[in-house]
Structure formats: C-alpha cells, structure tokens
Short mmCIF file of all heavy atoms in Angstrom, two decimals:
data_model
loop_
_atom_site.label_atom_id
_atom_site.label_comp_id
_atom_site.label_asym_id
_atom_site.label_seq_id
_atom_site.Cartn_x
_atom_site.Cartn_y
_atom_site.Cartn_z
N ASP L 104 0.84 -1.18 0.00
CA ASP L 104 0.00 0.00 0.00
C ASP L 104 0.88 1.24 0.00
O ASP L 104 1.33 1.71 1.04
CB ASP L 104 -0.91 -0.01 1.24
CG ASP L 104 -1.94 1.10 1.20
OD1 ASP L 104 -1.84 1.96 0.30
OD2 ASP L 104 -2.83 1.10 2.06
N LEU L 105 1.12 1.79 -1.19
CA LEU L 105 2.04 2.91 -1.30
C LEU L 105 1.45 4.18 -0.68
O LEU L 105 2.18 5.11 -0.38
CB LEU L 105 2.38 3.15 -2.77
CG LEU L 105 3.17 2.02 -3.43
CD1 LEU L 105 3.44 2.35 -4.89
CD2 LEU L 105 4.47 1.76 -2.71
N THR L 106 0.12 4.25 -0.51
CA THR L 106 -0.45 5.44 0.10
C THR L 106 0.02 5.58 1.53
O THR L 106 0.19 6.68 2.04
CB THR L 106 -2.00 5.38 0.08
OG1 THR L 106 -2.42 4.22 0.79
CG2 THR L 106 -2.50 5.32 -1.35
N GLU L 107 0.28 4.43 2.18
CA GLU L 107 0.80 4.49 3.55
C GLU L 107 2.18 5.11 3.56
O GLU L 107 2.53 5.90 4.42
CB GLU L 107 0.86 3.09 4.16
CG GLU L 107 -0.51 2.46 4.38
CD GLU L 107 -0.38 1.08 4.98
OE1 GLU L 107 0.75 0.70 5.31
OE2 GLU L 107 -1.40 0.40 5.13
N ASN L 108 3.01 4.77 2.56
CA ASN L 108 4.37 5.29 2.52
C ASN L 108 4.36 6.80 2.31
O ASN L 108 5.20 7.52 2.85
CB ASN L 108 5.14 4.62 1.38
CG ASN L 108 5.28 3.13 1.59
OD1 ASN L 108 5.29 2.67 2.71
ND2 ASN L 108 5.36 2.37 0.50
N ARG L 109 3.41 7.30 1.52
CA ARG L 109 3.37 8.74 1.25
C ARG L 109 3.08 9.52 2.53
O ARG L 109 3.46 10.68 2.65
CB ARG L 109 2.26 9.04 0.22
CG ARG L 109 2.55 8.52 -1.15
CD ARG L 109 1.57 9.13 -2.15
NE ARG L 109 1.45 8.23 -3.30
CZ ARG L 109 0.42 7.42 -3.48
NH1 ARG L 109 -0.56 7.39 -2.61
NH2 ARG L 109 0.37 6.63 -4.53
N GLN L 110 2.40 8.91 3.46
CA GLN L 110 2.03 9.60 4.68
C GLN L 110 3.08 9.45 5.78
O GLN L 110 2.86 9.89 6.89
CB GLN L 110 0.69 9.05 5.19
CG GLN L 110 -0.46 9.29 4.20
CD GLN L 110 -1.68 8.47 4.56
OE1 GLN L 110 -1.70 7.75 5.55
NE2 GLN L 110 -2.72 8.56 3.74
N HIS L 111 4.20 8.84 5.45
CA HIS L 111 5.27 8.61 6.43
C HIS L 111 4.71 8.00 7.71
O HIS L 111 4.69 8.62 8.79
CB HIS L 111 5.98 9.92 6.77
CG HIS L 111 6.55 10.59 5.57
ND1 HIS L 111 7.60 10.08 4.87
CD2 HIS L 111 6.18 11.72 4.92
CE1 HIS L 111 7.88 10.89 3.85
NE2 HIS L 111 7.03 11.87 3.85
N PRO L 112 4.19 6.77 7.65
CA PRO L 112 3.53 6.17 8.81
C PRO L 112 4.48 5.98 9.97
O PRO L 112 5.69 5.84 9.81
CB PRO L 112 3.06 4.81 8.28
CG PRO L 112 4.01 4.49 7.18
CD PRO L 112 4.33 5.81 6.54
N SER L 113 3.92 5.99 11.15
CA SER L 113 4.71 5.73 12.35
C SER L 113 5.10 4.27 12.39
O SER L 113 4.37 3.40 11.94
CB SER L 113 3.90 6.08 13.60
OG SER L 113 3.58 7.46 13.60
N VAL L 114 6.26 3.98 12.93
CA VAL L 114 6.74 2.62 13.06
C VAL L 114 6.81 2.27 14.54
O VAL L 114 7.43 2.99 15.32
CB VAL L 114 8.13 2.46 12.41
CG1 VAL L 114 8.62 1.03 12.57
CG2 VAL L 114 8.08 2.87 10.95
N GLU L 115 6.16 1.20 14.92
CA GLU L 115 6.16 0.80 16.32
C GLU L 115 7.50 0.18 16.69
O GLU L 115 7.93 -0.78 16.09
CB GLU L 115 5.04 -0.22 16.58
CG GLU L 115 3.63 0.36 16.39
CD GLU L 115 3.30 1.41 17.41
OE1 GLU L 115 3.87 1.33 18.52
OE2 GLU L 115 2.51 2.31 17.12
N ARG L 116 8.17 0.75 17.62
CA ARG L 116 9.45 0.23 18.11
C ARG L 116 9.42 0.19 19.63
O ARG L 116 9.41 1.23 20.29
CB ARG L 116 10.61 1.12 17.66
CG ARG L 116 10.76 1.21 16.14
CD ARG L 116 11.47 0.00 15.60
NE ARG L 116 11.69 0.14 14.16
CZ ARG L 116 12.27 -0.76 13.40
NH1 ARG L 116 12.68 -1.88 13.93
NH2 ARG L 116 12.43 -0.57 12.11
N SER L 117 9.39 -1.00 20.19
CA SER L 117 9.46 -1.19 21.64
C SER L 117 8.42 -0.35 22.37
O SER L 117 8.71 0.31 23.36
CB SER L 117 10.87 -0.82 22.15
OG SER L 117 11.84 -1.60 21.49
N GLY L 118 7.19 -0.34 21.84
CA GLY L 118 6.10 0.30 22.55
C GLY L 118 5.95 1.77 22.29
O GLY L 118 5.07 2.42 22.81
N ARG L 119 6.84 2.40 21.49
CA ARG L 119 6.68 3.82 21.22
C ARG L 119 6.79 4.06 19.72
O ARG L 119 7.39 3.30 18.98
CB ARG L 119 7.73 4.65 21.97
CG ARG L 119 9.16 4.29 21.63
CD ARG L 119 10.14 4.99 22.58
NE ARG L 119 11.51 4.65 22.24
CZ ARG L 119 12.23 5.30 21.34
NH1 ARG L 119 11.71 6.29 20.66
NH2 ARG L 119 13.48 4.95 21.09
N SER L 120 6.16 5.16 19.25
CA SER L 120 6.09 5.43 17.83
C SER L 120 7.17 6.43 17.44
O SER L 120 7.45 7.40 18.14
CB SER L 120 4.71 6.00 17.46
OG SER L 120 3.71 5.05 17.76
N THR L 121 7.77 6.21 16.29
CA THR L 121 8.75 7.15 15.74
C THR L 121 8.39 7.35 14.27
O THR L 121 8.02 6.42 13.58
CB THR L 121 10.18 6.59 15.84
OG1 THR L 121 10.24 5.33 15.16
CG2 THR L 121 10.60 6.41 17.28
N ARG L 122 8.52 8.59 13.81
CA ARG L 122 8.18 8.89 12.44
C ARG L 122 9.40 8.65 11.55
O ARG L 122 10.53 8.76 11.98
CB ARG L 122 7.71 10.34 12.31
CG ARG L 122 6.42 10.61 13.08
CD ARG L 122 5.94 12.03 12.84
NE ARG L 122 5.55 12.23 11.45
CZ ARG L 122 4.37 11.89 10.96
NH1 ARG L 122 3.48 11.30 11.74
NH2 ARG L 122 4.07 12.12 9.70
N SER L 123 9.14 8.33 10.28
CA SER L 123 10.23 8.09 9.34
C SER L 123 11.02 9.38 9.15
O SER L 123 10.46 10.47 9.10
CB SER L 123 9.66 7.63 7.99
OG SER L 123 9.01 6.39 8.13
N PRO L 124 12.35 9.28 8.99
CA PRO L 124 13.18 10.47 8.80
C PRO L 124 12.83 11.19 7.50
O PRO L 124 12.32 10.59 6.55
CB PRO L 124 14.60 9.90 8.74
CG PRO L 124 14.51 8.56 9.38
CD PRO L 124 13.14 8.05 9.07
N ASP L 125 13.10 12.49 7.47
CA ASP L 125 12.90 13.29 6.27
C ASP L 125 14.19 13.25 5.45
O ASP L 125 15.26 13.58 5.95
CB ASP L 125 12.56 14.73 6.68
CG ASP L 125 12.23 15.60 5.48
OD1 ASP L 125 12.28 15.10 4.33
OD2 ASP L 125 11.92 16.79 5.68
N LEU L 126 14.09 12.83 4.18
CA LEU L 126 15.27 12.72 3.32
C LEU L 126 15.42 13.91 2.37
O LEU L 126 16.12 13.81 1.36
CB LEU L 126 15.20 11.41 2.51
CG LEU L 126 15.23 10.11 3.31
CD1 LEU L 126 15.24 8.91 2.38
CD2 LEU L 126 16.42 10.06 4.26
N THR L 127 14.77 15.02 2.68
CA THR L 127 14.91 16.21 1.85
C THR L 127 16.39 16.61 1.77
O THR L 127 17.08 16.70 2.78
CB THR L 127 14.10 17.38 2.43
OG1 THR L 127 12.73 16.99 2.48
CG2 THR L 127 14.25 18.61 1.56
N GLY L 128 16.87 16.82 0.54
CA GLY L 128 18.27 17.18 0.34
C GLY L 128 19.19 16.00 0.12
O GLY L 128 20.35 16.16 -0.23
N VAL L 129 18.67 14.79 0.31
CA VAL L 129 19.45 13.57 0.11
C VAL L 129 19.25 13.08 -1.33
O VAL L 129 18.13 13.06 -1.83
CB VAL L 129 19.03 12.47 1.10
CG1 VAL L 129 19.77 11.16 0.83
CG2 VAL L 129 19.27 12.93 2.54
N THR L 130 20.33 12.70 -1.98
CA THR L 130 20.23 12.13 -3.33
C THR L 130 20.52 10.64 -3.26
O THR L 130 21.51 10.22 -2.66
CB THR L 130 21.22 12.81 -4.30
OG1 THR L 130 22.54 12.70 -3.77
CG2 THR L 130 20.87 14.27 -4.50
N VAL L 131 19.65 9.86 -3.87
CA VAL L 131 19.75 8.40 -3.80
C VAL L 131 19.79 7.83 -5.21
O VAL L 131 19.02 8.25 -6.08
CB VAL L 131 18.55 7.80 -3.03
CG1 VAL L 131 18.64 6.27 -3.02
CG2 VAL L 131 18.50 8.33 -1.60
N MET L 132 20.68 6.87 -5.42
CA MET L 132 20.72 6.14 -6.69
C MET L 132 20.28 4.71 -6.40
O MET L 132 20.85 4.03 -5.56
CB MET L 132 22.13 6.15 -7.29
CG MET L 132 22.24 5.36 -8.60
SD MET L 132 23.89 5.48 -9.35
CE MET L 132 23.83 7.15 -10.01
N VAL L 133 19.25 4.26 -7.12
CA VAL L 133 18.72 2.91 -6.96
C VAL L 133 19.17 2.09 -8.16
O VAL L 133 18.95 2.48 -9.31
CB VAL L 133 17.18 2.90 -6.87
CG1 VAL L 133 16.67 1.48 -6.68
CG2 VAL L 133 16.72 3.80 -5.73
N VAL L 134 19.78 0.92 -7.90
CA VAL L 134 20.32 0.08 -8.96
C VAL L 134 19.64 -1.28 -8.91
O VAL L 134 19.81 -2.04 -7.95
CB VAL L 134 21.85 -0.10 -8.83
CG1 VAL L 134 22.42 -0.80 -10.05
CG2 VAL L 134 22.54 1.24 -8.61
N ASP L 135 18.84 -1.58 -9.94
CA ASP L 135 18.10 -2.85 -9.98
C ASP L 135 17.69 -3.11 -11.42
O ASP L 135 17.24 -2.19 -12.11
CB ASP L 135 16.85 -2.77 -9.08
CG ASP L 135 16.28 -4.15 -8.74
OD1 ASP L 135 16.31 -5.02 -9.62
OD2 ASP L 135 15.81 -4.32 -7.60
N ASP L 136 17.85 -4.35 -11.88
CA ASP L 136 17.50 -4.66 -13.27
C ASP L 136 16.03 -5.04 -13.44
O ASP L 136 15.59 -5.32 -14.56
CB ASP L 136 18.40 -5.78 -13.83
CG ASP L 136 18.23 -7.11 -13.09
OD1 ASP L 136 17.64 -7.09 -11.99
OD2 ASP L 136 18.69 -8.14 -13.61
N GLU L 137 15.27 -5.04 -12.34
CA GLU L 137 13.83 -5.28 -12.42
C GLU L 137 13.11 -3.94 -12.29
O GLU L 137 13.10 -3.34 -11.21
CB GLU L 137 13.38 -6.24 -11.32
CG GLU L 137 13.93 -7.65 -11.49
CD GLU L 137 13.41 -8.58 -10.42
OE1 GLU L 137 12.58 -8.14 -9.60
OE2 GLU L 137 13.85 -9.75 -10.40
N PRO L 138 12.48 -3.46 -13.37
CA PRO L 138 11.87 -2.12 -13.36
C PRO L 138 10.84 -1.93 -12.25
O PRO L 138 10.79 -0.87 -11.62
CB PRO L 138 11.22 -2.02 -14.75
CG PRO L 138 12.01 -2.95 -15.61
CD PRO L 138 12.40 -4.09 -14.71
N ASP L 139 10.01 -2.95 -11.98
CA ASP L 139 8.98 -2.81 -10.95
C ASP L 139 9.59 -2.64 -9.57
O ASP L 139 9.16 -1.78 -8.78
CB ASP L 139 8.04 -4.02 -10.96
CG ASP L 139 7.14 -4.05 -12.18
OD1 ASP L 139 7.03 -3.01 -12.86
OD2 ASP L 139 6.57 -5.11 -12.47
N ALA L 140 10.59 -3.46 -9.27
CA ALA L 140 11.25 -3.37 -7.96
C ALA L 140 11.98 -2.03 -7.84
O ALA L 140 11.94 -1.38 -6.79
CB ALA L 140 12.23 -4.53 -7.80
N CYS L 141 12.63 -1.63 -8.92
CA CYS L 141 13.36 -0.36 -8.93
C CYS L 141 12.40 0.80 -8.69
O CYS L 141 12.67 1.72 -7.91
CB CYS L 141 14.09 -0.21 -10.27
SG CYS L 141 15.36 1.07 -10.30
N GLY L 142 11.25 0.75 -9.37
CA GLY L 142 10.26 1.81 -9.23
C GLY L 142 9.67 1.89 -7.84
O GLY L 142 9.39 2.98 -7.33
N LEU L 143 9.50 0.73 -7.19
CA LEU L 143 8.94 0.71 -5.85
C LEU L 143 9.90 1.33 -4.84
O LEU L 143 9.50 2.14 -3.99
CB LEU L 143 8.60 -0.72 -5.45
CG LEU L 143 7.89 -0.92 -4.10
CD1 LEU L 143 6.64 -0.06 -4.01
CD2 LEU L 143 7.54 -2.38 -3.89
N VAL L 144 11.18 0.98 -4.92
CA VAL L 144 12.18 1.57 -4.01
C VAL L 144 12.29 3.07 -4.27
O VAL L 144 12.40 3.88 -3.34
CB VAL L 144 13.55 0.88 -4.18
CG1 VAL L 144 14.61 1.58 -3.33
CG2 VAL L 144 13.46 -0.59 -3.78
N ARG L 145 12.23 3.44 -5.56
CA ARG L 145 12.28 4.87 -5.89
C ARG L 145 11.12 5.61 -5.24
O ARG L 145 11.30 6.70 -4.67
CB ARG L 145 12.24 5.05 -7.41
CG ARG L 145 12.15 6.51 -7.83
CD ARG L 145 12.20 6.66 -9.33
NE ARG L 145 12.32 8.07 -9.69
CZ ARG L 145 12.81 8.52 -10.83
NH1 ARG L 145 13.24 7.67 -11.74
NH2 ARG L 145 12.87 9.82 -11.06
N ARG L 146 9.93 5.02 -5.30
CA ARG L 146 8.75 5.66 -4.73
C ARG L 146 8.90 5.85 -3.22
O ARG L 146 8.54 6.90 -2.67
CB ARG L 146 7.53 4.80 -5.04
CG ARG L 146 6.18 5.39 -4.62
CD ARG L 146 5.88 6.66 -5.42
NE ARG L 146 4.49 7.02 -5.29
CZ ARG L 146 3.51 6.54 -6.05
NH1 ARG L 146 3.78 5.65 -7.00
NH2 ARG L 146 2.28 6.95 -5.89
N ILE L 147 9.43 4.84 -2.56
CA ILE L 147 9.63 4.94 -1.10
C ILE L 147 10.58 6.07 -0.77
O ILE L 147 10.34 6.86 0.15
CB ILE L 147 10.16 3.60 -0.55
CG1 ILE L 147 9.09 2.50 -0.66
CG2 ILE L 147 10.60 3.75 0.90
CD1 ILE L 147 9.62 1.11 -0.39
N MET L 148 11.66 6.18 -1.52
CA MET L 148 12.65 7.22 -1.27
C MET L 148 12.08 8.61 -1.57
O MET L 148 12.27 9.56 -0.81
CB MET L 148 13.90 6.98 -2.13
CG MET L 148 14.71 5.75 -1.75
SD MET L 148 15.47 5.86 -0.10
CE MET L 148 14.37 4.78 0.83
N GLU L 149 11.36 8.74 -2.68
CA GLU L 149 10.79 10.03 -3.05
C GLU L 149 9.70 10.45 -2.06
O GLU L 149 9.58 11.65 -1.75
CB GLU L 149 10.22 9.97 -4.46
CG GLU L 149 11.29 9.92 -5.54
CD GLU L 149 10.73 9.84 -6.94
OE1 GLU L 149 9.56 9.43 -7.10
OE2 GLU L 149 11.47 10.18 -7.89
N ASP L 150 8.92 9.49 -1.56
CA ASP L 150 7.90 9.82 -0.57
C ASP L 150 8.51 10.34 0.72
O ASP L 150 7.85 11.06 1.47
CB ASP L 150 7.03 8.59 -0.28
CG ASP L 150 6.09 8.26 -1.43
OD1 ASP L 150 5.90 9.13 -2.30
OD2 ASP L 150 5.55 7.14 -1.46
#
C-alpha cells in the first residue's frame, strides 16, 4: 500500500512510535535490473 508510505507512517518500536526520517536534500541512486522493484524503491525514497 504505497499510500501508507506517502504519509510517512509511524513505526512501532518497543512500545513507542517514531516517524520516518525526512530525506529532503538527500540524493539516492537505486540500482536494480527489475523495473517494478526499482520503481517501488524509488517511490519509497521520493515519498
């Protein structure tokens, strides 16, 4: 469910919630020969 990723869902860790870090300003290169897998990781990073 990529809509969850866009909202930066909280992750339960040891009974407390933490929000996903903000990657604004970070440049990421994704390397994968499977377009669907590559696109999914790209979406997570861009979100």
Side-chain angles (χ1 to χ4, degrees):
D104 187 352
L105 294 179
T106 59
E107 293 180 7
N108 297 332
R109 291 192 205 102
Q110 297 167 1
H111 303 291
S113 298
V114 179
E115 295 294 332
R116 298 280 184 181
S117 302
R119 59 189 180 86
S120 299
T121 57
R122 296 184 66 82
S123 296
D125 185 359
L126 297 183
T127 300
V129 176
T130 56
V131 177
M132 178 176 286
V133 181
V134 188
D135 198 323
D136 63 345
E137 293 182 4
D139 289 345
C141 195
L143 185 54
V144 175
R145 175 176 188 157
R146 186 65 165 274
I147 292 169
M148 293 294 104
E149 288 179 339
D150 287 345

